[in-house]
Each structure stands twice: as structure tokens, then as C-alpha cells.
Amino acid sequence: MKTPRPSVSVVGLGYVGLCTAVTFAKKGFSTLGIDIDSARVEQVAKGRAPIHEPHLEPLLARAVGKGRLRVGTDPAAAAESDVIFVTVGTPSRPDGSIDTTYVRAAAREIGMALRNQEDYRVVVVKSTVVPGTTRSLVKPLLEETSGKKLGLELGLCMNPEFLKEGTAIEDALHPDKLVLGAMDPRAGRHLRQLYERFYRPRMPPVVQTTPETAEMIKYASNAFLATKISYINTIANIAQQVPRVDVEQVAQAIGLDPRIGPLFLKAGPGYGGSCFPKDVKALIAFARGLGYEPALLKAADEVNEQQADRVVELSERLCGSLKDKRVAVLGLAFKKDTDDIREAAALRVIRRLRNKGAHVAAYDPMAMPAARRVLGDGVDFADNPENALASADCAIIMTEWDQFREMPPEVYARTMRSPNIVDARRLYPPEALDGVNLAAIGLGERVRGRGAPAKRPAARAVTR
Ligand code: NAD
């Protein structure tokens, strides 16, 4: 006889939680989503996504419509589910270490919810937490509040999430791996079986490990990718000082070496988003707590912070002093296809532009409401790219939105006071912008005549 599909609860309906809940519901699992933010829950209950993420809203509407996904604010309801995922945020403290306030609260609430539950339940930490957190923080809280002993009536696993904003649904449905860090074998078996039901017949490779190693894998992964970006940005910062050198071609060539690989070699304004900056800082703080100074990670973080200065320097190269200049910033989201502006490079650049006395006009197809809340009145928010560019002395491309990629280059020359463009994303092949003054990350001065680089097709942009 076929065993019924396990039911699932997801505690924390942010980026990770919502995408997790929606994909479980899509695969036919009875899913319950819980969040403390009642406005968010109300919106999700209507099938409307509180974040912009491709494919999310239709899947959410269908899951809610079919009754496969229910949502609420009461953590006690999680007790009815066989497996309870913890997907609450783990933000940075001022010293860079992770703030586990939400994880602790969620563990307590789930423990209390399970107090009178007699059936075996598995709690799965999906939030990114430093090594040791699941064992030394979540386990005792769960045991204390539930009155249950881990291993017998209750299971606990660490199962880091690797989805990327912008392709989160696709990533959740087709991950390149599953990392399962079980506190005890029974919990590990349950979680594995859950995923076998989810992915059948295409179960991704599974790395079964201790919870501590699972926690470390997540940080090692994000810190590596962040370092790769800071590495190519370092090369870009050198390259742009040298006539006829173009970091795009450097990246294309070195990426052909299988030891290096082509991904994450896109020079730009620095990484952002809710994960890389916070996770690199958390790993640095964690290492320091162990008495080790992680010089490489500190450098990756520092290069990233300073990359905004490099973007502003490029604007100054084209315009001279920025005082009282009008600068159009195209793109606010930390990357395309999301409205997330957390730690977005555009915010760092805008703050520096304003410190230099520039007037900033900004446009983003998705992230304007979020940016308005953070940047306030100091920025003119335009309804479209043309209005942002109108009478501008300089335009800075900060997000690789297709809308900007597809915009005819003559728009710049037609609308701006002086067509000075800083391509901080390397969105355009330099040849496509003939007739404007171009400065781009990692692009050495273009020398006309003999020795000028041959026309080439746009290097394939490999972004996060
Ligand atoms: P988020 O800040 O977008 O969402 C967290 C949600 O948890 C919020 O909606 C909040 O209201 C809710 N919450 C907080 N405390 C709660 C509680 N006690 N009960 C119920 N809900 C509660 O966070 P996110 O971006 O989804 O990230 C969640 C975790 O996953 C973090 O640890 C993050 O590092 C990790 N992660 C994020 C990504 C990403 O791309 N965003 C990718 C992989 C891993």
C-alpha cells in the first residue's frame, strides 16, 4: 500500500520559505506556511506574492486555490505536520556575526507547539546558521520547550538552502545537490524519504553529513562565490587602468580553463543581496571567534565594499566633479529579476554620489517601492528610464535588467544633457555604444585606430 505523502510546515515565509512552501505544494504535499508578519500572511493567503520572483505568483495562486498551501500566523498549527522547516531570517549583527533571535524564537515556538504532539516529527533548519548552531542552540531549545528527547519523539536536521533569487523556483525544483545534516539517523531517513517523494525520479545527489558540516558547506559555498566575484573585480580594477585591456575577454578566456570555470566571473559593481555580504561577514566573525583571522575573506569583503568607489571614480573620469551634476542610476535591485534591494550595490553607489553633491535620479522596473522606503526623498524616482536620463550629465547602469539591455543606445544620446555612461554591469558591448562617452568596469581606455580591439560579439554575460 502506498504510504501517504508526509505533510510539511514552513516557518518563515520570506524568500526561502515561500519558495519552499510553494514548491512542496506544487509537488502535491499538504503544506502549511507560517509567518509572524500578518500583513504578509494575508497577502499570501490571497495567492499574491509579497516578493517579485519569476514563476512564484502563478504557482502560489494555484497552490492556495487548490487548498494545498494554507497559511497562518499561529506556530501551534505546525504540530500537525510531519516535517517542519525553519526558514526564518538570520541577519547580521553590527559586528557581522549572525543574529539568531528569529531562529531561537522559531525553535521555542515549534517546541511548544509539539509539546502535546504524540507522533514523531522532524524539525529541519534551513536558515543559514554558523556551525554548531543546530546542535547547541536549536536542539536544547526544542527539547526544553517540547519536553521531548531528541532522537526518540523528535528529529532534527540541518539542511541548508542554495536557491538563488531570480531563479529560486527553478533552483528549488532542480537543485544541484541536497545537503542533509541529521542529528540522528532516524531524522536523516525521514528527511531523505521526504525528498525522494519530492524529486522522484530525479533525486539530486545527496551529501549526508553532520549538522556542523552542513552548516559549514553553506558558508563555504557563498564565501567562495563572493570571493570569486571580488577576485574578478580586482582584475577589473587593474584592467581598467590599462589601455586596450578588457576584463570581459580576460574572464571569457580564463573561464575556459576547467579549473576556473566560466560562472561568477562577471566583473561589476560588487555583490549584494541578502546572502553574500551577510554570510561572508558572519563567517569572518565566526572564524575570529575561533581565534583565526580569515585574511582572504576579509579581503573579499573589503574589495566588495570599495567597488562602489570604483564605480563613482568612473563617473568622475567622465564628468569631473560630481557636485551639482545630475546622475541617472539605472537599476536598484541587487540583480535582475528580483525586487530585492538588500545590500544592493546601487545603494552604496547612490550614497557616495550624494556625498559628492550629485543629484540622483533613479529607475528600476521592480525595486522602486523598496528603494523609496530606504532612500527617501533624496533621490528622484523616475517612471521610466528616459525620465531618469532626461538632462542627466551621467548615467550609471547598476542592474543588468533586460529592459536596459534592449534599450536602443540612441536613447542615451537623445535624452541626456551629455551622454556619459558608466556601464558598471558590462551590460553593453562597448562597440554598441558608439557616439557616447563610455567608461565601464574593467574596460581599459579604448584607443582608436591601429591596435584598437576588433569588433566582437557580446561576451555571454554569466551572472548570478
Ligand atoms: P527573509 O528575511 O526574506 O524572511 C524571513 C521571514 O521569516 C520573514 O517573513 C519573517 O517575518 C519570518 N519570521 C521571523 N521570525 C519568525 C517566526 N518566529 N515565526 C514565523 N516567521 C518568522 O529571509 P530569507 O531571505 O527567506 O532567508 C531565510 C534564511 O535562508 C536566512 O538564514 C538566509 O540566510 C537563508 N537563505 C536565503 C537565501 C535567499 O536567496 N534569500 C538563499 C539561501 C539561504
Side-chain angles (χ1 to χ4, degrees):
M1 202 181 70
K2 215 175 149 191
T3 51
R5 274 199 185 89
S7 55
V8 166
S9 274
V10 180
V11 178
L13 291 177
Y15 231 103
V16 169
L18 198 54
C19 294
T20 303
V22 161
T23 48
F24 269 101
K26 173 184 161 55
K27 292 282 185 172
F29 293 83
S30 166
T31 307
L32 174 67
I34 294 165
D35 203 290
I36 46 173
D37 180 342
S38 52
R40 175 170 285 249
V41 167
E42 228 167 84
Q43 191 175 345
V44 174
K46 290 180 189 145
R48 291 212 320 268
I51 47 175
H52 173 78
E53 178 63 36
H55 314 299
L56 177 62
E57 188 143 295
L59 284 180
L60 173 63
R62 205 170 312 142
V64 171
K66 285 190 166 175
R68 286 204 188 128
L69 174 62
R70 290 161 301 122
V71 288
T73 52
D74 181 11
E80 73 189 50
S81 304
D82 298 295
V83 179
I84 304 162
F85 287 100
V86 177
T87 52
V88 297
T90 45
S92 294
R93 288 210 201 101
D95 68 352
S97 63
I98 58 161
D99 180 348
T100 53
T101 306
Y102 301 113
V103 174
R104 277 186 274 133
R108 275 199 204 97
E109 286 155 9
I110 294 167
M112 285 189 286
L114 295 178
R115 210 170 174 85
N116 299 317
Q117 175 55 249
E118 290 182 357
D119 296 329
Y120 181 74
R121 300 289 186 242
V122 180
V123 177
V124 181
V125 178
K126 247 190 189 304
S127 300
T128 302
V129 290
V130 295
T133 307
T134 302
R135 189 183 301 273
S136 57
L137 186 80
V138 178
K139 175 179 179 272
L141 284 173
L142 275 179
E143 289 188 326
E144 186 191 311
T145 49
S146 68
K148 294 180 192 300
K149 192 95 196 96
L150 210 92
L152 297 173
E153 308 149 277
L154 187 61
L156 177 60
C157 294
M158 204 285 144
N159 169 218
E161 179 54 61
F162 297 93
L163 61 75
K164 306 180 284 302
E165 294 185 16
T167 54
I169 297 294
E170 185 59 23
D171 294 341
L173 292 173
H174 309 286
D176 49 27
K177 62 189 166 296
L178 294 175
V179 175
L180 309 184
M183 288 286 299
D184 67 278
R186 185 177 177 198
R189 272 197 310 278
H190 269 254
L191 185 57
R192 196 186 173 114
Q193 280 161 8
L194 177 77
Y195 280 128
E196 277 165 356
R197 295 291 290 263
F198 184 105
Y199 289 112
R200 180 176 14 190
R202 293 204 185 85
M203 183 71 173
V206 174
V207 179
Q208 258 174 300
T209 178
T210 61
E212 289 79 359
T213 300
E215 290 160 336
M216 192 71 204
I217 288 169
K218 175 65 192 173
Y219 281 102
S221 179
N222 275 0
F224 179 84
L225 295 170
T227 305
K228 204 169 172 188
I229 293 172
S230 282
Y231 170 77
I232 199 66
N233 282 342
T234 298
I235 299 297
N237 296 340
I238 301 168
Q240 73 202 24
Q241 311 288 335
V242 190
R244 302 187 190 89
V245 176
D246 185 350
V247 75
E248 288 272 282
Q249 290 183 311
V250 175
Q252 207 178 8
I254 66 172
L256 292 171
D257 182 332
R259 294 169 302 175
I260 296 174
L263 302 178
F264 274 69
L265 279 182
K266 181 83 182 162
Y271 55 77
S274 68
C275 290
F276 286 0
K278 142 178 115 62
D279 291 351
V280 171
K281 286 182 170 65
L283 189 53
I284 293 170
F286 180 67
R288 279 191 181 140
L290 301 172
Y292 173 67
E293 274 300 308
L296 179 68
L297 303 179
K298 279 162 57 189
D301 184 48
E302 216 174 287
V303 167
N304 198 58
E305 288 288 327
Q306 293 169 359
Q307 200 61 8
D309 295 321
R310 306 289 84 76
V311 174
V312 173
E313 275 165 21
L314 289 178
S315 328
E316 288 171 323
R317 194 199 272 183
L318 295 177
C319 301
S321 164
L322 293 173
K323 182 143 177 49
D324 295 329
K325 296 273 165 57
R326 183 175 161 95
V327 180
V329 172
L330 296 188
L332 297 163
F334 86 95
K335 65 173 178 177
K336 74 168 184 169
D337 292 339
T338 176
D339 58 354
D340 200 340
I341 56 155
R342 289 179 283 185
E343 299 285 337
L347 302 185
R348 293 192 284 273
V349 167
I350 288 173
R351 286 194 189 106
R352 283 162 172 79
L353 291 170
R354 285 171 61 185
N355 287 343
K356 298 222 170 220
H359 301 290
V360 177
Y363 171 78
D364 187 286
M366 287 289 165
M368 304 259 274
R372 219 179 239 123
R373 282 194 292 276
V374 173
L375 293 168
D377 295 337
V379 169
D380 292 339
F381 291 98
D383 298 341
N384 54 50
E386 285 85 349
N387 285 349
L389 292 168
S391 308
D393 299 289
C394 183
I396 309 182
I397 318 296
M398 285 301 302
T399 312
E400 70 283 23
W401 286 103
D402 292 341
Q403 183 183 4
F404 304 148
R405 195 189 301 276
E406 287 155 12
M407 202 161 74
E410 53 276 15
V411 171
Y412 294 100
R414 182 161 41 80
T415 42
M416 296 175 69
R417 191 189 338 256
S418 349
N420 296 312
I421 298 184
V422 175
D423 188 353
R425 282 286 179 179
R426 299 306 307 264
L427 194 64
Y428 303 111
E431 307 78 22
L433 290 180
D434 272 352
V436 306
N437 302 321
L438 174 71
I441 289 283
L443 181 67
E445 196 191 331
R446 286 184 296 161
V447 180
R448 303 278 170 198
R450 247 155 45 109
K455 280 212 170 198
R456 61 185 170 84
R460 195 165 58 86
V462 185
T463 50
R464 274 164 276 162

